[in-house]
C-alpha cells in the first residue's frame, strides 16, 4: 500500500472522519471551516492512501449527488506488545484499536535483558507470520510495533531505566532488533494513551489511568498529552507508601501502594496459577462467597487509600481503572467511588470508571503509539 505520509491538514481531516465515520466534502469543509475544493483535494489524497473510501452517494437536495467519504479502519494496522512479569501479550489492531488477533507467551525465568529481547522479537515474528497467513485481514502490513514495559521508560534515550517487578534496570531498548519500526512506553502511560486515542478529551481536561496488574502504575494525560515528568518517573504512584503500609516491595521500599492494590495482592489467598486465579476469584464473587466478598472489601479499602493520593496530587477530571483487576467489573469502580466520596480532602470524587480496553489496554495503547501519528 502507499506510504502513509500525511500533511497536517490531511491528518486533521482524517481525525474528523475517524470520529464522524462518513462525510461529504461539503460537510467536512463546513466542519473544518475550509473551502470545498481544498477539502476535496485532501480527500483525494486520503482515498489514494486507502484510508478513506468514496463509494456511495449521499442524500442530495437536487442536482448531482455528492460522493460520501467513509473512514477505513483496516487501512493501517499496528502490533502492540505488553510485557508483564512472566508473560508477554502480543496483538494486532486496526485504526479503531479493534483487536484482529492476539496471543500470549510465557517469559523465560529467570529473565535477563537478553532473554526479554529474544522473547519480544519471537512474539512479534509469530504475530507477523499469523498476519501473513491470514486471509481475512490481508488489508495492510503493520506500520510498526509498540512495546509497553512495566517500569520507568526513558523514551528519549531509549532505556528501560528500572522495572522493579522484572528485577531489571538500565536496559537499552535500541537492541531489541524488532522486524518493524519500534516505539516503547511505560505500560500505564501506554494504557492512558490508548484510552485517550479511543475517546479524545476536550482541551484542558485531565485523566489518570490507574493500571492494575502485577503492579500498579498511573498514566497521566493533561490536555491530550502524556505527562512523563523530568526523569520519566511521573505516575509511579504504585511505589508511594499508603498509611499503615508495611509490606516489603521489590523496589526496596516498604508499604508501597502496589503491595496492597495489585492483582497479586488481591489474589494472595486464591489458589492456582496465572489468569485462572482471577477467573476463580470473580466466579466466587458472582456466587456471593462471603470470603471473596470480604477479600474484595479489604482490597478496596487499601486501593482507595492510594487513590486518594492520586486525587490529592493530580485532581484529575477523570480516573480510569484498567488492567487485570478490571475483570471484577463495576463493583470495583463503584466500591472506589463510594470510599472516595466520604474521604476527607478528596470529596467530591472525580469521575471513576473502568477502561473500555479491558485487559488489553497496555498492548493496544502501545500499538496506538504508531497509529496516532496519522491523526496528529
Ligand atoms: Zn515499591
Amino acid at each position: 500500500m502507499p506510504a502513509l505520509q500525511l500533511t497536517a491538514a490531511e491528518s486533521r481531516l482524517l481525525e474528523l472522519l475517524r470520529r464522524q465515520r462518513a462525510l461529504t466534502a461539503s460537510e467536512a469543509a463546513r466542519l473544518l471551516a475550509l473551502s470545498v475544493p481544498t477539502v476535496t483535494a485532501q480527500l483525494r489524497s486520503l482515498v489514494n492512501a486507502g484510508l478513506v473510501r468514496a463509494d456511495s452517494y449521499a442524500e442530495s437536495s437536487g442536482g448531482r449527488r455528492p460522493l460520501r467519504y467513509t473512514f477505513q479502519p483496516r487501512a493501517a494496522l499496528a502490533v502492540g506488545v505488553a510485557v508483564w512479569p512472566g508473560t508477554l501479550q502480543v496483538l494486532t489492531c486496526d485504526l479503531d484499536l479493534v483487536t484482529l488477533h492476539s496471543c500470549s507467551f510465557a517469559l523465560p525465568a529467570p529473565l535477563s535483558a537478553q532473554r526479554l529481547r529474544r522473547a519480544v522479537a519471537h512474539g512479534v515474528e509469530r504475530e507477523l507470520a499469523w498476519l501473513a497467513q491470514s486471509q481475512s485481514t490481508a488489508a495492510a502490513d503493520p506500520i510498526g510495533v509498540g512495546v509497553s514495559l512495566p517500569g520507568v521508560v526513558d523514551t528519549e534515550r531509549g532505556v528501560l531505566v528500572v522495572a522493579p517487578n522484572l528485577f531489571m534496570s538500565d536496559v537499552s531498548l535500541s537492541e531489541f532488533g524488532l522486524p518493524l519500526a519500534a516505539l516503547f512506553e511505560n505500560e500505564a502511560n501506554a494504557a492512558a494513551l490508548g484510552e485517550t486515542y479511543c475517546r479524545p478529551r476536550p482541551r484542558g481536561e485531565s485523566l489518570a489511568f490507574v493500571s492494575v496488574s502485577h503492579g500498579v502504575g498511573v498514566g497521566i494525560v493533561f490536555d491530550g498529552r502524556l505527562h512523563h515528568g523530568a526523569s520519566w518517573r511521573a505516575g509511579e504512584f504504585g511505589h508511594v507508601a499508603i498509611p499503615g503500609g508495611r509490606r516489603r516491595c521489590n523496589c526496596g521500599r516498604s508499604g508501597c501502594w502496589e503491595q496492597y492494590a495489585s492483582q497479586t495482592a488481591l489474589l494472595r489467598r486464591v489458589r492456582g496459577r496465572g489468569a485462572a486465579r482471577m477467573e476463580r476469584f470473580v466466579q466466587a464473587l458472582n456466587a456471593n462467597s462471603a470470603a471473596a466478598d470480604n477479600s474484595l472489601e479489604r482490597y478496596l479499602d487499601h486501593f482507595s487509600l492510594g487513590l486518594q493520593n492520586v486525587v490529592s496530587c493530580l485532581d484529575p477530571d477523570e480516573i480510569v481503572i484498567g488492567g487485570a483487576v478490571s475483570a471484577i467489573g463495576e463493583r470495583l469502580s463503584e466500591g472506589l467511588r463510594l470510599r472516595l466520596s466520604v474521604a476527607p480532602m478528596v470529596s467530591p470524587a472525580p469521575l471513576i470508571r473502568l477502561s473500555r480496553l479491558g485487559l488489553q489496554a497496555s498492548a493496544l495503547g502501545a500499538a496506538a503509539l504508531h497509529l496516532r501519528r496519522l491523526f496528529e
Side-chain angles (χ1 to χ4, degrees):
M1 77 180 290
L4 297 173
Q5 293 289 336
L6 305 182
T7 65
E10 288 162 359
S11 290
R12 204 166 145 237
L13 175 58
L14 187 65
E15 173 64 10
L16 178 70
L17 274 156
R18 178 163 79 103
R19 289 197 218 172
Q20 303 281 335
R21 311 312 285 181
L23 289 168
T24 63
S26 58
E27 284 167 346
R30 183 167 42 79
L31 289 167
L32 293 169
L34 293 170
S35 73
V36 175
T38 302
V39 168
T40 305
Q42 292 167 3
L43 283 166
R44 213 169 290 137
S45 298
L46 297 181
V47 170
N48 288 340
L51 293 160
V52 164
R53 205 174 65 195
D55 60 343
S56 61
Y57 289 89
E59 291 287 323
S60 169
S61 52
R64 230 178 104 196
R65 295 185 356 138
L67 279 171
R68 193 169 180 78
Y69 295 89
T70 311
F71 180 64
Q72 298 298 301
R74 291 281 157 96
L77 308 177
V79 175
V81 176
V83 175
W84 304 109
T87 320
L88 192 69
Q89 194 182 13
V90 186
L91 56 78
T92 302
C93 66
D94 69 10
L95 286 168
D96 284 335
L97 293 199
V98 170
T99 304
L100 278 64
H101 179 259
S102 68
C103 51
S104 46
F105 305 91
L107 283 172
L111 191 64
S112 63
Q114 199 182 354
R115 286 175 142 188
L116 174 65
R117 286 190 193 105
R118 222 179 287 147
V120 171
H122 173 73
V124 174
E125 276 156 19
R126 288 272 298 269
E127 190 63 13
L128 293 180
W130 173 83
L131 268 171
Q133 283 169 8
S134 168
Q135 297 297 312
S136 59
T137 55
D141 290 330
I143 56 176
V145 54
V147 182
S148 77
L149 296 157
V152 176
V153 180
D154 180 338
T155 61
E156 222 160 73
R157 283 195 304 136
V159 176
L160 172 61
V161 180
V162 61
N165 293 331
L166 296 180
F167 301 98
M168 273 182 199
S169 57
D170 287 319
V171 177
S172 166
L173 301 174
S174 61
E175 292 161 27
F176 267 67
L178 296 175
L180 292 169
L183 294 169
F184 297 83
E185 186 52 272
N186 162 272
E187 61 89 10
N189 288 349
L193 196 74
E195 193 69 32
T196 46
Y197 176 95
C198 290
R199 198 164 147 258
R201 298 325 197 255
R203 273 190 84 80
E205 281 208 0
S206 55
L207 171 143
F209 190 107
V210 183
S211 177
V212 187
S213 290
H214 299 78
V216 177
V218 178
I220 305 162
V221 176
F222 281 127
D223 222 4
R225 297 202 164 274
L226 273 177
H227 176 68
H228 286 103
S231 303
W232 309 91
R233 289 178 296 219
E236 286 293 339
F237 283 96
H239 298 287
V240 174
I242 58 166
R246 282 206 166 80
R247 285 181 194 155
R248 291 285 295 168
C249 182
N250 290 338
C251 75
R253 294 182 190 168
S254 294
C256 291
W257 185 28
E258 76 170 32
Q259 292 306 313
Y260 297 85
S262 65
Q263 177 188 231
T264 316
L266 172 67
L267 302 181
R268 208 160 261 149
R269 290 192 183 82
V270 180
R271 273 177 288 167
R273 288 172 66 85
R277 285 173 82 203
M278 193 69 200
E279 278 168 33
R280 196 167 301 145
F281 181 71
V282 173
Q283 277 167 8
L285 278 179
N286 292 340
N288 297 319
S289 146
D293 252 25
N294 193 28
S295 291
L296 180 63
E297 292 302 312
R298 286 188 50 190
Y299 171 76
L300 287 169
D301 288 342
H302 286 123
F303 198 138
S304 151
L305 291 175
L307 205 57
Q308 289 172 42
N309 288 338
V310 174
V311 176
S312 294
C313 288
L314 305 175
D315 192 20
D317 289 283
E318 193 176 13
I319 293 175
V320 181
I321 315 279
V325 296
S326 57
I328 294 167
E330 293 299 324
R331 270 191 76 176
L332 179 67
S333 47
E334 189 54 34
L336 293 169
R337 207 176 295 133
L338 273 173
R339 282 163 175 81
L340 257 64
S341 69
V342 293
M345 298 298 289
V346 296
S347 174
L351 187 67
I352 302 175
R353 64 170 182 80
L354 297 177
S355 169
R356 292 178 175 83
L357 301 177
L359 306 180
Q360 295 182 329
S362 295
L364 288 169
L369 289 166
H370 288 277
L371 300 174
R372 69 178 180 149
R373 292 176 158 196
L374 290 174
F375 305 100
E376 286 175 347

